[in-house]
Amino acid sequence: MHLNANVLASGRHDAAWRLSDNPRSVDDVDAFCEIARIAERGTFDAVFFADGPQLAADFDRRPWHSLDPVVLLAAMARATERVGLVATASTTFNEPYEVARRFATLDHVSGGRAAWNIVTSQSDDAAANFGHPRMPGHAERYARAEEFVDVVVKLWDSFEDEALLADPVTGRYADPARVHRIDHVGPAFRVRGPLNVPRAPQGRPMIVQAGDSGPSRRLGARWADALFTVQRTCTEAQAFYAQLKGLAAANGRDPDSLVILPGLYTVVGSTQAEARRRREEMDALLDLDVQVALLAERLNVDPQRLTLDRPLPDDIDGQGGAGITSGFVENILREARRENLTVRQLLGRNPFGGHRLVVGTPEQIADNMERWFRGRAADGFNLNMDAYPSGLELFVDHVVPELRRRGLFRTAYEGVTLRSHLGLPRAPSRYAPASPGLVAATR
Amino acid sequence: MHLNANVLASGRHDAAWRLSDNPRSVDDVDAFCEIARIAERGTFDAVFFADGPQLAADFDRRPWHSLDPVVLLAAMARATERVGLVATASTTFNEPYEVARRFATLDHVSGGRAAWNIVTSQSDDAAANFGHPRMPGHAERYARAEEFVDVVVKLWDSFEDEALLADPVTGRYADPARVHRIDHVGPAFRVRGPLNVPRAPQGRPMIVQAGDSGPSRRLGARWADALFTVQRTCTEAQAFYAQLKGLAAANGRDPDSLVILPGLYTVVGSTQAEARRRREEMDALLDLDVQVALLAERLNVDPQRLTLDRPLPDDIDGQGGAGITSGFVENILREARRENLTVRQLLGRNPFGGHRLVVGTPEQIADNMERWFRGRAADGFNLNMDAYPSGLELFVDHVVPELRRRGLFRTAYEGVTLRSHLGLPRAPSRYAPASPGLVAATR
C-alpha cells in the first residue's frame, strides 16, 4: 500500500488553522520541513503540494497554497532523506523547458525524490495573472497539456545516463553523441533542446496526474506513474480503478506501473468518541453562514434557497458551478440525493475538498483502507489530514503501526528514490542505445 | 567593502574542473552547499549564480550552468544562515507572476537573503528552447524588461506587511484592505494580482543587474540595488561608478542605495611565485588550439589568421562576434592594441570571462582591491575565483583576513538579511499607508 500526504496549507478541515497546535502562517518554511520529517518517520511514499498561481478567493478566512512548491520542496528535501516530494505545476501557464529543468533540478537536489503533478488549471483568477481574460477552454487546455508533457519528457530524455564524462585526463567533460536535440515542432510549442541538466537520478522525475474528465483520464493513462482521484464510494472507485488500469494496458503499459491513489480525509481518535470530539471541536470554529454560501457557489444556486435542516432543492443540477469539470459537483449531488441528506448533513461530508471522510479509531480507518486496497479500488491513498501537523502525527503514530501490523504497509524504506518506493523502475531515455529508440517516443 | 562570489560551474579558469581538488559534476548539490558555507565563513555578502536556459555550446569541454538556480539556492539556503543568495532569471523567457513568486519564496525559505539578477538573455540557443527562431532585438528585450521588473515589484508590494492576521479568535486570516490587485496593463503584460505570497522578509527581494549598454544602464540605475559590471581598468571603472551613481541620483535615489560591484578574477598564492604556479598549472591543462578557436569566434575572425606569438591582425573590429553587445569584445580589443599583446599574451588575460585578472599574494590582491575601493571605482567586488572550492577557500582564509586587518571588510555579519549586509533599508510597499502610495510607483 502506498501513502501520500497532501500537505494542505493548514489542513483539510477549513478551521484547522484555528486549533492551537497548528502552524499559523502560510509562509512558515520550518513548519513545512517538520511536516515532511513526520511523513518520513511514517515511511510515507511522498508529500504533495497542490498549487495554483493565484491568491485564493477566501484568503481572508483561511490559509491558502502560497509559496512556490518546487522551491519550498527543495528546502524540504534538505530536511529529509527518503520521503518523495510532489509538486503541482500548470501546463497552461508555464513553458516546458522551464518545468523540465525545475523538476530535474528538484530530482538532483533530493537524490531522486521528485514528482511533477500535471494540472491544466481552472481558475479565471489565475488566467488574469498571465494576460488571459479567462481560462482557455477545457479541450484547448488538454491539447496543450498533452504536447507540454510530451516535450518535458523528451527534454528529460535528451541527456543520456552516460553522457557526463568529467574525465580530467582527456579533458572531455561530456559526450555529445549522448546528448540530443529534441527538435520538437508542434501546434503549441517549438523546443529544440537539449535540456541543460544531466539526466535526473530517477531517469525521469515521477509524473502524477489527477482529474476526472475523459481527456484527463487519457492523459493520465498515457503519462502518469501515479493518479490522484476523488472517489467517494468503494464501488465507484473499483470501476475507476479497473478502467484506468485497462487504459494503461491499452497504451501498452504494465497496469502495475500506474499507481492509483484515491483521496482519503481522516480524523483520528483513540476511540470513536474522541475522533468525533476532535471533528466537532473544529466544526464549532466554522462560520455556518460562510459554509452555506460556499456550498451555494459550488452548486451554482442562490444561497437563499438552501435551508440548513432541509434537503437540497430538487432542481439543482450543478451546471456552471465551481469544480464542475473535476467531477466534484456531480459527486456531491449524487451523494446528497442518494442518502436524502439535509444541507447541514451534507456540509459534514466535506463537500468542498471532495474527498471522502472517515472519522474513527486507527483500527476503523485501517479497516476501511484495507477493504479498498484488497478490493482493488486503490493501490494506496492520497491522505488529507484534518490538520497539519497534529492530524499527520496521529496518523503516523497510530494508523501506520496498525497498517504495518496487518502487513499492508512497509516498516522501512527499501530504496532511495520515489520510484523505488512505488515499485516503479527507473525510466530509460528513449535515446539510449538499449532502448527501442524513437519508436517509443509516445511514452 | 562588499564581496560577492560568482559561483561558476567549476571556476573562472576554463581548466579548473581538471584540478584534482574540485567537485567534478555540474549537478553536485552537496558541493554547491559546501561552497556557500565557505563563503559564509568568509562573511561574504552573497553567492551568485549566472544562468541561461540553454545548454552551453562547449558542454563537451567544460562544466556549465545547469541546475535551476532558484531551486538550487533554496537547498543552499538550508545549509547556511547568513550569506545572501543571488540567482539570474531572464525577463525574456519568463512570466512576471512566476518570477515574483519564485524569488519571494526564496526570500521566505532563506529568511530574507534572496536577490534576483535581471537579465534579458542573448543566446539564440535559449530562444530556440522557447519557440523563438532567434532572440528578440536588444530594444525589444529591454522594453519588455522594464515592464517586467515594474510588474514584479508591484506584485511584491501587493501584500502589505500587516496583511496577515492569522487570528484564531476572530477567524480572520488576512486583512483584504492590505492586499492589493495591481491591475497592470501594459504593452507586454496584463497582470491583475495580488501575488499569493505574503510580503517577503526583505520587503522586496534585492535586485541585481548587469550589462553595459545604454538601456541596460538606465534599467540598472532605476531598479537595481546592486550592479555587476565588467571593468578592466581603474580609470574606466571610476567613470562608470560616477555615471551610475549620478543616474541613480537623477532618478531621485540616494546614490549609496546603488552598490557597484565590478568583476574581479583572482588567483591567490602565499607568494607571487606560488600564485603564478597555480595559474600555470591550470593553463597547462588547456588545449591551446581550442582557446585560439574560441578567441577567433569571439572576435569574429578566421582562426587561421591568429598566430600565437604575433599581435592580432590590424583589421579586426569584433563586429558580429559573440559578446559584442555586452562590451566584452571592445574591451579585449582595446587592451590588446594598447599593450600590443600577442595572441598568447591576450589568452592569458581572461578574454572570455571578461573580468580583469589579478594573480598574486593576499597582500597584492588586497592592495589592488583597496585602491579601487578607496578610489571610488567600486563599492566592492563580484569575485570570480579561478576554481571552486579551492580558490574560494584560499581567498577566504588569506585575502579576507588581510582585508579585515585593514578595516575594509566586516569581521562578522551584523544583520540577518542580504539588504542589511549591503546597508540597504528594508523596502516599504508602495501601497502601505505610511508610504507616498502610488506616486512612488516608478520605483
Side-chain angles (χ1 to χ4, degrees):
Chain A
M1 186 185 290
H2 301 287
L3 297 182
N4 175 72
N6 179 5
V7 182
L8 299 142
S10 63
R12 176 50 73 193
H13 196 287
D14 285 352
W17 69 273
R18 298 178 70 178
L19 295 174
S20 56
D21 58 352
N22 265 9
R24 285 278 157 61
S25 183
V26 292
D27 52 18
D28 186 340
V29 177
D30 292 336
F32 285 120
C33 289
E34 180 56 24
I35 286 167
R37 277 189 289 260
I38 298 167
E40 184 162 274
R41 176 157 62 78
T43 60
F44 273 43
D45 293 76
V47 294
F48 158 61
F49 284 94
D51 192 59
Q54 77 281 346
L55 184 60
D58 57 354
F59 74 94
D60 58 331
R61 290 193 307 271
R62 61 189 183 104
W64 67 93
H65 288 293
S66 168
L67 301 177
D68 181 293
V70 179
V71 179
L72 176 57
L73 284 173
M76 292 164 70
R78 304 305 281 191
T80 53
E81 295 179 354
R82 287 291 185 273
V83 72
L85 307 162
V86 188
T88 295
S90 173
T91 54
T92 302
F93 302 122
N94 285 294
E95 289 279 344
Y97 199 92
E98 289 283 329
V99 167
R101 190 177 179 206
R102 215 171 299 148
F103 281 90
T105 300
L106 183 62
D107 211 45
H108 281 288
V109 164
S110 63
R113 296 185 280 142
W116 171 31
N117 178 42
I118 306 166
V119 302
T120 68
S121 305
Q122 302 183 25
S123 157
D124 286 340
D125 287 340
N129 292 329
F130 293 83
H132 307 289
R134 62 188 59 79
M135 282 300 292
H138 190 264
E140 185 185 335
R141 293 207 310 276
Y142 273 88
R144 179 180 159 108
E146 283 276 357
E147 187 180 345
F148 193 114
V149 181
D150 183 35
V151 175
V152 167
V153 175
K154 282 177 182 165
L155 286 167
W156 285 338
D157 282 352
S158 66
F159 245 91
E160 291 184 37
D161 287 319
E162 312 293 320
L164 266 194
L165 303 172
D167 182 345
V169 178
T170 62
R172 293 181 71 207
Y173 195 75
D175 179 356
R178 293 181 179 271
V179 179
H180 307 272
R181 288 189 181 185
I182 68 167
D183 289 320
H184 175 90
V185 178
F189 303 107
R190 295 175 68 94
V191 180
R192 192 172 71 184
L195 193 65
N196 55 357
V197 180
R199 193 155 177 80
Q202 293 187 100
R204 301 170 181 171
M206 223 184 78
I207 293 180
V208 182
Q209 204 260 351
D212 202 51
S213 69
S216 170
R217 288 183 190 203
R218 282 193 296 277
L219 183 71
R222 178 165 167 202
W223 290 110
D225 300 299
L227 290 181
F228 295 152
T229 174
V230 177
Q231 301 294 334
R232 293 178 68 103
T233 71
C234 189
T235 312
E236 286 163 351
Q238 285 164 329
F240 178 87
Y241 186 99
Q243 187 202 2
L244 270 290
K245 296 276 182 177
L247 278 173
N251 278 336
R253 300 176 55 187
D254 174 358
D256 289 342
S257 74
L258 178 63
V259 176
I260 296 180
L261 304 170
L264 177 62
Y265 167 11
T266 56
V267 182
V268 183
S270 59
T271 63
Q272 172 117 42
E274 190 180 296
R276 283 209 187 113
R277 266 201 308 279
R278 182 172 164 88
R279 170 71 195 277
E280 283 159 10
E281 186 196 348
M282 285 189 262
D283 281 351
L285 295 166
L286 290 173
D287 182 330
L288 263 183
D289 291 342
V290 169
Q291 296 291 304
V292 170
L294 288 173
L295 182 63
E297 190 184 329
R298 185 52 67 99
L299 298 173
N300 197 26
V301 63
D302 181 347
Q304 307 283 354
R305 297 191 58 213
L306 301 183
T307 308
L308 271 174
D309 293 309
R310 291 210 187 146
L312 294 176
D314 283 339
D315 59 339
I316 295 177
D317 64 3
Q319 291 304 312
I324 187 75
T325 54
S326 56
F328 280 7
V329 172
E330 290 91 333
N331 282 331
I332 294 166
L333 279 173
R334 197 158 48 225
E335 190 163 322
R337 296 265 150 73
R338 189 172 53 225
E339 304 184 40
N340 199 32
L341 300 175
T342 65
V343 168
R344 190 190 301 272
Q345 287 168 325
L346 181 56
L347 286 173
R349 299 281 181 94
N350 181 35
F352 308 122
H355 296 301
R356 76 201 174 92
L357 168 64
V358 179
V359 181
T361 64
E363 293 74 22
Q364 288 171 325
I365 290 171
D367 284 348
N368 188 297
M369 292 169 74
E370 181 168 6
R371 183 165 58 88
W372 280 51
F373 179 68
R374 297 208 188 275
R376 298 184 65 76
D379 295 316
F381 299 90
N382 179 27
L383 294 163
N384 291 246
M385 306 301 169
D386 51 0
Y388 288 85
S390 64
L392 180 62
E393 281 183 312
L394 285 171
F395 195 98
V396 163
D397 292 336
H398 302 288
V399 184
V400 165
E402 180 61 30
L403 294 170
R404 286 173 176 163
R405 207 169 297 130
R406 299 179 187 199
L408 291 169
F409 190 56
R410 70 174 68 85
T411 54
Y413 291 109
E414 287 165 23
V416 171
T417 67
L418 177 51
R419 282 185 181 276
S420 75
H421 303 339
L422 286 158
L424 301 170
R426 187 169 184 279
S429 165
R430 77 190 64 198
Y431 300 108
S435 88
L438 282 165
V439 181
T442 52
R443 191 170 183 277
Chain B
M1 185 186 290
H2 300 287
L3 298 182
N4 176 72
N6 180 8
V7 181
L8 299 143
S10 63
R12 177 49 74 194
H13 197 287
D14 284 353
W17 70 274
R18 298 178 70 178
L19 295 174
S20 56
D21 59 350
N22 265 8
R24 286 277 157 62
S25 183
V26 294
D27 52 17
D28 187 339
V29 177
D30 291 336
F32 285 120
C33 288
E34 180 56 25
I35 286 168
R37 277 189 290 260
I38 298 167
E40 185 162 274
R41 176 156 62 77
T43 62
F44 274 42
D45 293 76
V47 293
F48 158 61
F49 284 94
D51 192 58
Q54 77 282 344
L55 184 60
D58 57 354
F59 73 94
D60 57 331
R61 290 193 306 272
R62 59 191 183 103
W64 66 93
H65 288 294
S66 168
L67 301 177
D68 180 294
V70 179
V71 179
L72 177 56
L73 284 172
M76 293 166 68
R78 306 304 280 190
T80 53
E81 294 181 352
R82 287 289 185 276
V83 71
L85 307 161
V86 188
T88 296
S90 172
T91 54
T92 301
F93 302 121
N94 284 293
E95 289 280 342
Y97 198 91
E98 288 283 329
V99 167
R101 190 177 178 207
R102 215 170 300 150
F103 281 91
T105 299
L106 183 62
D107 210 46
H108 282 288
V109 164
S110 63
R113 297 185 280 142
W116 171 32
N117 178 42
I118 306 167
V119 302
T120 69
S121 307
Q122 302 183 25
S123 158
D124 285 341
D125 287 340
N129 292 329
F130 293 84
H132 306 288
R134 62 189 55 80
M135 282 299 293
H138 190 262
E140 185 186 334
R141 293 206 311 275
Y142 273 89
R144 180 179 159 109
E146 282 277 355
E147 187 181 346
F148 193 113
V149 182
D150 183 35
V151 174
V152 167
V153 175
K154 282 177 181 165
L155 286 167
W156 285 339
D157 282 352
S158 65
F159 244 91
E160 291 184 36
D161 287 320
E162 312 292 320
L164 267 195
L165 304 171
D167 182 345
V169 178
T170 63
R172 294 181 70 207
Y173 194 76
D175 179 357
R178 292 180 180 273
V179 179
H180 308 272
R181 287 189 182 184
I182 69 166
D183 289 320
H184 175 90
V185 179
F189 303 106
R190 296 175 67 94
V191 180
R192 193 172 71 184
L195 193 63
N196 55 358
V197 180
R199 194 157 175 79
Q202 292 187 99
R204 300 170 182 171
M206 223 184 79
I207 292 179
V208 181
Q209 204 259 352
D212 202 52
S213 68
S216 171
R217 289 183 188 204
R218 284 193 294 279
L219 183 72
R222 180 166 166 201
W223 289 110
D225 300 299
L227 289 181
F228 295 151
T229 175
V230 177
Q231 301 294 333
R232 292 178 71 103
T233 72
C234 189
T235 312
E236 286 164 349
Q238 285 165 329
F240 178 86
Y241 187 97
Q243 187 203 3
L244 270 289
K245 295 276 182 176
L247 278 173
N251 278 335
R253 300 177 56 186
D254 174 358
D256 289 342
S257 73
L258 178 63
V259 177
I260 296 179
L261 303 172
L264 178 62
Y265 167 13
T266 56
V267 182
V268 183
S270 59
T271 64
Q272 172 116 42
E274 188 179 298
R276 283 208 188 114
R277 265 201 308 279
R278 181 173 164 88
R279 171 70 196 279
E280 283 159 7
E281 186 195 348
M282 283 188 264
D283 281 351
L285 294 168
L286 289 175
D287 182 330
L288 263 183
D289 291 341
V290 169
Q291 296 291 303
V292 171
L294 288 172
L295 183 62
E297 189 185 330
R298 185 55 68 99
L299 299 174
N300 197 25
V301 61
D302 182 346
Q304 307 283 357
R305 298 192 57 213
L306 300 183
T307 308
L308 269 174
D309 292 309
R310 291 211 186 146
L312 294 177
D314 283 338
D315 59 340
I316 295 179
D317 64 3
Q319 290 305 312
I324 187 78
T325 54
S326 57
F328 280 7
V329 172
E330 290 90 333
N331 283 331
I332 293 167
L333 279 172
R334 197 157 50 225
E335 194 163 318
R337 297 265 149 72
R338 189 172 54 223
E339 305 184 40
N340 199 31
L341 300 176
T342 64
V343 168
R344 191 189 299 272
Q345 287 169 326
L346 181 56
L347 286 173
R349 299 283 180 93
N350 183 35
F352 308 120
H355 296 302
R356 74 198 175 92
L357 167 65
V358 180
V359 181
T361 64
E363 295 72 24
Q364 288 171 325
I365 291 170
D367 284 348
N368 188 296
M369 292 170 73
E370 181 167 7
R371 183 163 60 86
W372 280 51
F373 180 69
R374 295 207 189 275
R376 298 184 65 74
D379 294 316
F381 298 90
N382 179 28
L383 294 163
N384 291 247
M385 306 302 170
D386 51 359
Y388 289 85
S390 65
L392 180 62
E393 281 182 312
L394 285 170
F395 194 99
V396 163
D397 292 336
H398 302 288
V399 185
V400 165
E402 180 62 28
L403 295 171
R404 286 175 176 160
R405 208 169 296 132
R406 300 177 187 200
L408 291 169
F409 190 57
R410 69 173 71 84
T411 55
Y413 291 109
E414 287 166 21
V416 172
T417 68
L418 176 53
R419 284 185 179 276
S420 75
H421 304 339
L422 286 158
L424 302 171
R426 188 169 183 281
S429 166
R430 78 192 63 198
Y431 301 106
S435 89
L438 283 164
V439 182
T442 52
R443 192 169 182 279

